[in-house]
Amino acid sequence: MPQTLNFPTPPPFIIIHGGAWDIPSPLLDLSVVGVEIAAREGLTILLNGGTALDAVEVSVQSMESDPVFDAGYGSALTRSGAVEMDAIICSGVSENFGAVACLTKCKSAVKVARKVMEDSEHTMFVGEGADDFGKLKCPEDVVGGEELISEYAREHWERFKDYKGPVNELFNKGEEQKHPGDTVGAVAVDKFGNFASATSTGGIPFCEGGRVGDSPLPGCGADADNEVGACSTTGHGESLSRVKASRRVMEKMENGATPGDAAEAVLERMLKVTGGRGGIIVAKANGGGVGFSFSTVKMPWAVGCEEWGDKIESGILPNGKK
Ligand code: ASP
């Protein structure tokens, strides 16, 4: 049974996730601190009258630069030991999105994704095309690739590099949640009533080079529509893509579900249909508040809103505990 929570919070607000997996004890506090900092940075933008798009971008960038998470610096490594990042950013006003997949040469995949949305004719760039676009639009962020490999990601890869079995077995059975899958995401609504969402990831560890999960795919890794709300997902990417997780969450909300219950229903169905697990953060339009659900053991989350002032609610389990 997924673990679920709803906050009937009025906008503006922001909700953050830091990946759904069985986070080991040494990383618990760091994960909560990381999502709290991200929530606070995004909330500050919202409280100063900024847009939901700016808030989710800044929050996700904050976690991309934190090696605790599987995104940007600290990304999980592919079987060949490389970093390949995917990200998406979605605007609820325009129902536009920008995405990149298999980006290797820029430190913030979400920043490049936003440039794709706002500064290109297209919605997604992949591989070399993504790197070339990133170099052109974010020259200040260009890296060689090695700089994105954290000590933890390197050690983790060394420990498992001889594993020859299917990566999906690692991710969805027994060992699954011991493996980092701590993708990051943010969902926000601003004082103008505009929704936005963003997701950024280094993918699942040991995946084949060139593999693309759910994260950069609209309707899978994220979605946003001012009439319905917005969401961001994490977990086993092939499963989230198969069930079009984000789109289904939006449909459930259109049919009256609360944000947390919509996420829970989709995760339950995903487990039944694919055997995969994950987590989803959601905001609902027309005063429907914000919520989340996860079917893994843990998921770091944080919520901040204007009504609570400086206070950020956070945790690893729905009751705020670790
Ligand atoms: N969904 C991501 C992917 O499959 C992984 C994660 O959320 O941790 O690439």
Side-chain angles (χ1 to χ4, degrees):
M1 185 73 179
Q3 310 196 64
T4 304
L5 195 61
N6 282 299
F7 296 91
T9 305
F13 58 69
I14 187 157
I15 178 165
I16 304 290
H17 73 72
W21 62 299
D22 189 3
I23 305 155
S25 314
L27 295 187
L28 285 175
D29 286 338
L30 293 171
S31 301
V32 176
V33 169
V35 289
E36 279 177 2
I37 291 173
R40 200 169 293 289
E41 289 187 14
L43 184 64
T44 303
I45 288 185
L46 296 174
L47 297 185
N48 288 328
T51 66
L53 269 176
D54 284 341
V56 296
E57 182 183 350
V58 160
S59 293
V60 166
Q61 277 190 315
S62 160
M63 294 182 283
E64 284 178 333
S65 61
D66 184 340
V68 167
F69 301 109
D70 170 17
Y73 173 52
S75 284
L77 304 182
T78 63
R79 279 191 199 244
S80 63
V83 167
E84 291 185 0
M85 300 169 291
D86 304 334
I88 187 168
I89 188 162
C90 302
S91 161
V93 196
S94 57
E95 292 179 47
N96 199 359
F97 75 94
V100 286
C102 298
L103 181 80
T104 65
K105 299 275 188 296
C106 278
K107 63 181 187 205
S108 171
V110 74
K111 184 168 167 187
V112 182
R114 176 130 184 221
K115 294 278 183 200
V116 174
M117 180 171 82
E118 293 181 342
D119 210 1
S120 88
E121 293 182 69
H122 306 299
T123 49
M124 187 186 288
F125 286 93
V126 304
E128 245 177 79
D131 280 332
D132 289 346
F133 182 81
K135 282 182 203 160
L136 189 69
K137 302 293 179 181
C138 309
E140 65 288 1
D141 286 350
V142 173
V143 287
E146 283 288 310
E147 299 95 308
L148 297 172
I149 303 181
S150 67
E151 209 179 308
Y152 179 80
R154 170 75 70 204
E155 271 172 23
H156 189 263
W157 183 80
E158 291 287 344
R159 248 196 343 259
F160 290 93
K161 68 175 190 247
D162 295 327
Y163 175 76
K164 296 277 184 282
V167 70
N168 286 340
E169 298 247 318
L170 274 183
F171 215 86
N172 280 329
K173 312 231 170 81
E175 284 286 308
E176 105 228 44
Q177 296 169 44
K178 298 196 181 80
H179 292 264
D182 37 344
T183 288
V184 302
V187 169
V189 56
D190 55 35
K191 69 168 194 192
F192 313 104
N194 291 328
F195 284 74
S197 56
T199 306
S200 180
T201 188
I204 55 173
F206 312 113
C207 65
E208 302 296 339
R211 173 262 187 193
V212 178
D214 61 305
S215 305
L217 306 180
C220 298
D223 213 337
D225 172 346
N226 273 3
E227 286 179 14
V228 186
C231 59
S232 162
T233 68
T234 175
H236 184 242
E238 283 71 9
S239 300
L240 291 157
S241 303
R242 278 174 62 186
V243 301
K244 278 70 78 187
S246 292
R247 190 81 299 262
R248 270 184 204 274
V249 167
M250 304 286 273
E251 281 164 14
K252 298 252 173 242
M253 291 199 292
E254 280 178 299
N255 291 331
T258 64
D261 294 357
E264 181 178 295
V266 171
L267 290 169
E268 270 180 347
R269 183 169 187 281
M270 183 169 99
L271 188 59
K272 206 160 90 199
V273 173
T274 70
R277 294 173 188 271
I280 309 178
I281 53 171
V282 194
K284 185 172 175 178
N286 305 315
V290 62
F292 64 81
S293 184
F294 54 93
S295 54
T296 49
V297 179
K298 294 164 190 159
M299 182 180 84
W301 58 271
V303 179
C305 66
E306 186 167 49
E307 199 181 59
W308 302 340
D310 248 8
K311 193 169 119 227
I312 299 285
E313 292 275 354
S314 65
I316 290 255
L317 299 175
N319 58 11
K321 294 211 170 108
K322 295 173 199 153

